[in-house]
């Protein structure tokens, strides 16, 4: 009898080109791709053709590749599926319909619930990599009052965004990512004193969450928050 695949968190991964077949570095605790973040195995499958410069603006032709990668993850033992870019939320419905495990493609899925946790007059900041490509339907909000409570901030001029839009993308120093995220969070707090929480869309941001919490004293949610919650319900 063939051994059963190990129950794991499956990640739909971006295309990395030459780095795709390189020996992977051990991702640090707190990052999306680290098993140590969840005390649970993490596996990944590359979505063929899913370069950042296609995923972020939106490329409908990637949907079939997302579905195929999700099915491979389930075959390998994934009990839940997430994705290594918040903009994969555009393919949430298709992937969820194609597999029999929970799919949490983006931290943006948390947005309606987080607004319900805050006072009605409070605002929530969503930090994204490239705000110009964030469409209203990705926020999942149909109530104009709820939408008015959401502030969007971005790191579009950062080293991370410049690097990730290359093929293949070179690594970005975490110190640079943290500096840009902190600067964005500080700008948003200065402009919106009624801000009461942050939600990170970008999957490179979770490692900066502790620094943002220390600086602002506010809750910070990200894709690892959603993955941990999902794993707690199925693992």
């Amino acid at each position: 009898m063939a051994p059963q695949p190990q129950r794991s968190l499956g990640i739909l991964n971006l295309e990395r080109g030459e780095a795709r077949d390189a020996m992977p570095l051990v991702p640090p605790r707190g990052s999306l791709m680290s098993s140590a973040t969840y005390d649970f195995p993490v596996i990944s499958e590359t979505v063929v053709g899913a370069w950042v410069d296609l995923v972020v603006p939106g490329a409908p032709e990637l949907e079939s590749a997302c579905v195929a990668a999700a099915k491979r993850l389930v075959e390998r033992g994934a009990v839940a599926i997430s994705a290594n870019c918040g903009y994969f939320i555009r393919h949430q419905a298709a992937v969820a319909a194609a597999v029999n495990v929970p799919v949490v493609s983006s931290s943006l899925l948390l947005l309606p619930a987080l607004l319900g946790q805050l006072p009605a007059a409070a605002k929530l900041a969503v930090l994204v990599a490239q705000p110009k490509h964030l469409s209203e339907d990705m926020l999942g909000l149909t109530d104009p009052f709820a939408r008015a409570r959401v502030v969007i901030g971005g790191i579009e001029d950062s080293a991370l965004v410049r690097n990730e839009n290359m093929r293949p993308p070179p690594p970005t120093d975490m110190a640079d990512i943290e500096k840009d995220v902190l600067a964005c969070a500080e700008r948003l707090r200065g402009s919106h004193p009624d801000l009461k929480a942050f939600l990170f869309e970008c999957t490179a941001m979770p490692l900066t969450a502790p620094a943002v919490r220390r600086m602002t004293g506010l809750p910070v949610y990200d894709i690892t928050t959603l993955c941990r919650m999902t794993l707690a319900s199925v693992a």
Side-chain angles (χ1 to χ4, degrees):
M1 181 182 299
Q4 292 296 309
Q6 186 175 20
R7 290 166 59 84
S8 306
L9 170 65
I11 306 292
L12 299 175
N13 215 353
L14 292 163
E15 185 70 78
R16 311 308 287 179
E18 295 173 4
R20 181 172 166 182
D21 299 319
M23 182 68 69
L25 297 174
V26 177
R29 177 185 290 272
S31 66
L32 169 67
M33 305 296 288
S34 174
S35 297
T37 300
Y38 318 100
D39 294 322
F40 198 80
V42 173
I43 58 175
S44 67
E45 285 281 343
T46 296
V47 176
V48 177
W51 297 97
V52 166
D53 62 355
L54 294 178
V55 173
V56 172
E61 64 271 20
L62 292 177
E63 196 150 278
S64 60
C66 288
V67 168
K71 289 181 176 179
R72 293 196 299 271
L73 287 168
V74 172
E75 289 172 358
R76 292 174 57 195
V79 295
I81 292 175
S82 189
N84 196 11
C85 178
Y87 291 83
F88 273 118
I89 195 172
R90 294 189 178 98
H91 309 295
Q92 168 73 28
V95 175
V99 296
N100 60 350
V101 300
V103 176
V104 286
S105 61
S106 174
S107 63
L108 295 174
L109 294 170
L110 286 170
L111 185 53
L114 295 181
L115 286 174
Q117 295 180 15
L118 301 175
K123 290 184 177 179
L124 182 148
V126 179
L127 268 62
V128 305
Q130 300 183 62
K132 70 178 181 179
H133 295 302
L134 185 75
S135 55
E136 288 296 316
D137 61 303
M138 294 167 67
L139 299 178
L141 301 174
T142 57
D143 179 4
F145 178 74
R147 177 62 184 88
R149 297 172 58 201
V150 176
V151 177
I152 308 297
I155 57 169
E156 59 271 31
D157 297 322
S158 65
L160 175 68
V161 170
R162 289 194 300 273
N163 289 342
E164 288 296 307
N165 277 291
M166 297 180 187
R167 298 189 183 188
T172 305
D173 192 299
M174 184 50 61
D176 290 331
I177 300 174
E178 184 172 288
K179 177 190 69 175
D180 290 323
V181 172
L182 285 171
C184 182
E186 189 171 28
R187 287 194 304 271
L188 291 173
R189 281 212 79 192
S191 302
H192 302 278
D194 48 355
L195 200 61
K196 297 300 181 185
F198 290 92
L199 174 63
F200 291 169
E201 165 275 322
C202 178
T203 56
M205 292 181 181
L207 288 173
T208 74
V212 175
R213 292 186 187 104
R214 287 193 298 269
M215 183 183 76
T216 65
L218 297 178
V220 178
Y221 303 85
D222 58 47
I223 187 61
T224 66
T225 311
L226 182 55
C227 288
R228 286 193 297 268
M229 181 181 73
T230 305
L231 287 173
S233 70
V234 299

